[in-house]
Amino acid sequence: MGGGPVSGAMPHVQTRSSASAGLGFSILFAVAFVASSFLTRRVEMAGAGFTELWPAGGLPIVWLLVRNSRFVGIDTLLLLAAAFTANLNTGSEAEIAAVFAVANVVQSWLAVLLLRRWCPDVWHCGGDRALDSPKVVARFGAALILAIGIGTALASIGAVLLPATGYDSFDATASGLWFGRNLGSALIVVALGIMIGQRVTAPRPRPRLRGEDAGPAELLAATVFTVFAYGLAFSFDELPLAFPLLAATVWFGARFSTLLSAAHSFVVGIVTMMLTLRGIGPFAHVEHADVGFMIAQFYIATIAVTGLAIATGRDERQALADDLRRAQEETAYQGSVRAAVIGSMTEGVLVVDEHGDLLMHNEAAARVLGLGDQLTRQTRFALSSWTVDGVEMTAYERPSARALRGERVDGELMVVKVVDVGDRVLTVSAIPLPRDEVNGRSRAMVLMRDTTHEHANRQELAAFAGVVAHDLRNPLAAIDGWTEMIADELGAGSLDAQMTQEFVSRVRSSSRRMRELIRDLLAHATSSARDLDVSRIDVTAMVNEIAVGRAATGFVSATSIPLVLGDPVLVRQVLDNLIGNALKYVAPGEEPKVVVCGERTDARLVTIEVLDDGIGIPEEDRARVFDEFHRAHYREYEGSGLGLSIVRRIVNRHGGSIEAHPNPAGRGSAFRFTLPAYDA
């Protein structure tokens, strides 16, 4: 076989301590192997030297496994010498002892090679696992049967071919005795050795030695039952009472750890063979003694395999149950994490199938759709929707339907009608999910975000850009036209002082118009952006300051108004805008009259009114004058259409409201708004 490792290309996972067992360990095994031959006596049967019945057939296999030996090495030589000595000790002639020693070495190495190939995960066969499943036990048993079968054939052939042995023909009974002796010994010794070695080298914490379910009382009861059953079976030589003995093996295999089951099989196997060798029990009183011994050996093999099969079957079921429990716990944990993540999302999440069944949703989805508790798994998901252009989507065109057909939809705008709220603009994405093969349905995930305000802001921005482009273009065109005329007049030499004054006045007027428009645009852009810096505000004093600043002290009056709590800069902007409009929108040739008054309407608010006697607001425009860029008198008076929208934004940010009404004292308008009251 060469001088390389006996495992060939098979990987070995060994601990450092076990792999480095020294020569003293091999010598100890050799001594134990030889000493075991003294435990039995020689029984004269079918052939001289072919019926030694000693329980050491598994020791060489454990020896070679633990040492991680090479075929060409000191262990093989020691094993050959020990086997030869043991066979001599049991009464074999030197020639037949040599044949049997060679057969012992060959079958031991074959067993090691086969175990490393067929059971690579088992302790010291390449891995670190115990015998823990019936499948592994089956491979374990098959490796031993094949190796010992080949060893039996070699021993039989060698005994027949060797002239000095006295064998002149094949003896089936003697071969059966060799095979049964070595197989029974290997099954109980190697199994126990692997189980003990694995437990000793396994990291802590280790499983309970008794097993997960059995207690000390049950272990004592099972032991007493074993002693009683074997005592009963071996007390009556004439009665076939061997069959109850399997009950003890089944008990240990079904209730206790595999290690205890293997130890039980080892002990009862040794006891069975020792009693049989001494002529005690049912196996010793078979008509032909050699047949009785052979039956006893195969009985030992049977209890070893039965105990291992039952114990490892229980271990496998327990391992599967543990894996299932861990998988369920992991699934539950992952489900809770997924639910927490989805539940914390601000986007609405829906999972639907092709039949319209709602499989999953989060609170954000119910909130976005305005359905609250009405959105459940029993809800049929068939949401009426429109494009932002007002065209109703068909069932085929909806994002969820398209995703169910396998299409991915990203960020599509749609409008839905929400009860008690009105139209909402949603940004919807839809993603196909793996098909539900159990129910034969396609599934899709729908992500929804309420972008009503964003959409309105985008529309406002578009309108804003249009107004800027239009309103800035007019004064710029005027400035460009007048400056071109100035250049022409200068070129012609006909520009006099009066014409120069008129041209400059026109340019300044257009420039002022641009400044006012830019001011309003900046105010509109920042009215909802800057943080509020609230403090005590004396509205009466602020109105008087605005009147002085506008040189309109004779046209603006203010009664005693309660103190309010607000941002002084923004509140001044509200009052300045309303007073400025009141001064501006008067009939030609008339002087404006503006009155600002206020009162505490409840414990929280102060209501302020700005009344004028101007041209007023048409009834159909009163609700729209606060919209961006809406102007009721756009033909007669200049303006950007942003002033009142800025006023409404500021009032709303303070938690108040504003309305436009006719002046109850006569013609003109009254703007009524509320601000938080100041309490010292």
Side-chain angles (χ1 to χ4, degrees):
M1 291 188 183
V6 296
S7 58
M10 294 298 294
H12 285 267
V13 182
Q14 310 289 7
T15 62
R16 182 176 180 83
S17 59
S18 62
S20 59
L23 181 59
F25 192 78
S26 297
I27 295 174
L28 180 63
F29 259 106
V31 171
F33 184 67
V34 174
S36 65
S37 65
F38 289 96
L39 298 178
T40 60
R41 61 183 176 84
R42 180 179 175 81
V43 180
E44 295 293 343
M45 288 185 226
F50 216 54
T51 58
E52 292 77 34
L53 302 164
W54 38 278
L59 278 179
I61 301 173
V62 175
W63 171 0
L64 298 176
L65 286 175
V66 171
R67 280 276 291 156
N68 194 25
S69 304
R70 298 172 182 270
F71 181 70
V72 178
I74 188 64
D75 293 292
T76 301
L77 295 176
L78 280 175
L79 175 57
L80 185 62
F84 178 74
T85 303
N87 279 283
L88 285 177
N89 181 60
T90 56
S92 298
E93 299 295 336
E95 294 83 352
I96 195 65
V99 170
F100 290 165
V102 172
N104 272 309
V105 171
V106 171
Q107 75 181 16
S108 298
W109 266 114
L110 281 174
V112 169
L113 291 171
L114 291 173
L115 287 173
R116 287 175 175 171
R117 179 167 296 277
W118 291 353
C119 305
D121 296 329
V122 172
W123 182 82
H124 266 273
C125 296
D128 56 4
R129 291 172 53 184
L131 299 172
D132 55 7
S133 72
K135 184 177 181 180
V136 173
V137 170
R139 291 176 176 174
F140 170 78
L144 295 182
I145 291 172
L146 180 58
I148 294 171
I150 293 174
T152 301
L154 288 176
S156 301
I157 294 170
V160 171
L161 295 180
L162 192 64
T165 62
Y167 288 84
D168 55 4
S169 64
F170 176 75
D171 190 323
T173 302
S175 298
L177 286 169
W178 171 288
F179 180 77
R181 178 197 69 185
N182 285 280
L183 179 61
S185 174
L187 285 171
I188 61 176
V189 172
V190 177
L192 184 61
I194 287 175
M195 300 303 298
I196 292 175
Q198 191 276 335
R199 182 174 180 84
V200 170
T201 58
R204 297 180 182 274
R206 298 167 185 152
R208 293 173 56 187
L209 184 59
R210 289 192 306 273
E212 297 298 327
D213 302 323
E218 185 176 0
L219 178 59
L220 178 61
T223 303
V224 171
F225 174 77
T226 300
V227 173
F228 173 77
Y230 274 81
L232 181 65
F234 281 81
S235 296
F236 297 93
D237 298 336
E238 303 296 332
L239 297 177
L241 296 178
F243 62 89
L245 302 180
L246 284 175
T249 300
V250 172
W251 190 345
F252 268 84
R255 295 293 298 165
F256 301 102
S257 68
T258 306
L259 175 55
L260 273 185
S261 178
H264 176 267
S265 298
F266 177 83
V267 172
V268 299
I270 294 295
V271 170
T272 297
M273 189 55 63
M274 296 301 294
L275 292 175
T276 301
L277 286 171
R278 283 160 178 76
I280 302 173
F283 304 114
H285 289 80
V286 178
E287 182 177 357
H288 298 285
D290 51 356
V291 175
F293 280 108
M294 187 166 57
I295 293 174
Q297 293 161 359
F298 282 104
Y299 166 75
I300 294 172
T302 300
I303 63 171
V305 172
T306 301
L308 287 174
I310 294 174
T312 55
R314 185 205 60 246
D315 291 345
E316 186 174 49
R317 289 192 301 273
Q318 184 62 46
L320 291 174
D322 291 342
D323 290 343
L324 178 60
R325 176 182 51 78
R326 286 191 292 269
Q328 290 173 335
E329 292 174 352
E330 180 66 18
T331 300
Y333 172 73
Q334 294 295 339
S336 65
V337 171
R338 183 170 58 251
V341 171
I342 294 176
S344 65
M345 292 174 61
T346 56
E347 286 187 327
V349 179
L350 299 173
V351 177
V352 298
D353 66 14
E354 62 187 56
H355 289 184
D357 290 338
L358 180 61
L359 306 179
M360 187 181 70
H361 74 282
N362 63 352
E363 292 182 4
R367 186 170 59 251
V368 168
L369 298 175
L371 296 177
D373 295 337
Q374 302 174 27
L375 192 64
T376 66
R377 291 197 61 172
Q378 285 71 42
T379 303
R380 286 278 179 176
F381 187 70
L383 194 65
S384 298
S385 52
W386 290 260
T387 66
V388 290
D389 297 327
V391 179
E392 185 172 6
M393 291 182 176
T394 65
Y396 187 82
E397 296 172 329
R398 292 170 189 157
S400 57
R402 291 158 57 189
L404 288 168
R405 296 195 302 270
E407 179 183 349
R408 185 184 180 97
V409 181
D410 292 315
E412 186 166 300
L413 290 178
M414 57 185 287
V415 180
V416 299
K417 295 186 182 298
V418 178
V419 178
D420 299 330
V421 176
D423 292 351
R424 279 185 175 173
V425 180
L426 306 181
T427 299
V428 179
S429 298
I431 305 168
L433 295 178
R435 182 177 176 82
D436 180 3
E437 298 297 345
V438 175
N439 297 309
R441 297 183 180 183
S442 298
R443 298 178 298 180
M445 180 172 66
V446 181
L447 303 176
M448 301 179 298
R449 185 162 56 90
D450 187 353
T451 52
T452 304
H453 295 298
E454 295 177 17
H455 182 68
N457 289 338
R458 284 195 296 270
Q459 288 184 315
E460 178 185 324
L461 183 61
F464 181 90
V467 169
V468 170
H470 179 270
D471 286 11
L472 286 180
R473 185 169 58 246
N474 289 339
L476 281 173
I479 292 173
D480 185 63
W482 289 112
T483 53
E484 185 177 347
M485 292 180 65
I486 291 174
D488 291 343
E489 293 297 328
L490 284 174
S494 58
L495 185 66
D496 56 23
Q498 182 177 357
M499 184 178 296
T500 301
Q501 183 67 32
E502 181 180 354
F503 286 167
V504 170
S505 176
R506 299 280 188 175
V507 170
R508 292 181 64 185
S509 175
S510 297
S511 175
R512 184 179 65 254
R513 168 74 182 121
M514 287 182 62
R515 283 198 307 273
E516 292 174 351
L517 180 59
I518 292 172
R519 180 199 63 198
D520 288 346
L521 292 174
L522 290 174
H524 179 269
T526 59
S527 61
S528 60
R530 67 183 295 270
D531 295 332
L532 295 179
D533 184 14
V534 298
S535 62
R536 172 184 176 276
I537 300 175
D538 185 343
V539 178
T540 305
M542 186 174 286
V543 169
N544 292 330
E545 292 173 5
I546 292 171
V548 171
R550 285 183 170 273
T553 53
F555 306 115
V556 179
S557 62
T559 61
S560 180
I561 302 171
L563 299 176
V564 300
L565 182 67
D567 187 311
V569 175
L570 295 180
V571 172
R572 177 182 291 275
Q573 194 171 359
V574 169
L575 293 170
D576 186 65
N577 198 298
L578 294 176
I579 293 171
N581 282 349
L583 295 172
K584 174 181 177 181
Y585 290 100
V586 295
E590 295 188 8
E591 292 185 347
K593 181 181 180 181
V594 183
V595 177
V596 182
C597 58
E599 61 179 350
R600 186 79 169 260
T601 53
D602 58 31
R604 191 175 61 86
L605 296 174
V606 172
T607 299
I608 302 172
E609 282 190 305
V610 178
L611 302 99
D612 65 64
D613 61 352
I615 60 176
I617 301 173
E619 183 177 356
E620 63 274 12
D621 288 322
R622 286 175 193 150
R624 300 179 57 201
V625 291
F626 298 103
D627 294 342
E628 287 83 357
F629 311 113
H630 180 81
R631 297 178 60 209
H633 304 284
Y634 63 91
R635 291 186 179 90
E636 300 89 352
Y637 297 87
E638 292 183 350
S640 64
L642 293 173
L644 291 179
S645 69
I646 295 171
V647 167
R648 181 173 63 178
R649 282 189 181 185
I650 295 173
V651 172
N652 289 344
R653 291 194 67 198
H654 282 79
S657 60
I658 186 169
E659 296 174 335
H661 302 278
N663 190 339
R667 64 180 182 175
S669 302
F671 287 88
R672 185 180 300 122
F673 64 96
T674 57
L675 291 174
Y678 176 80
D679 293 318

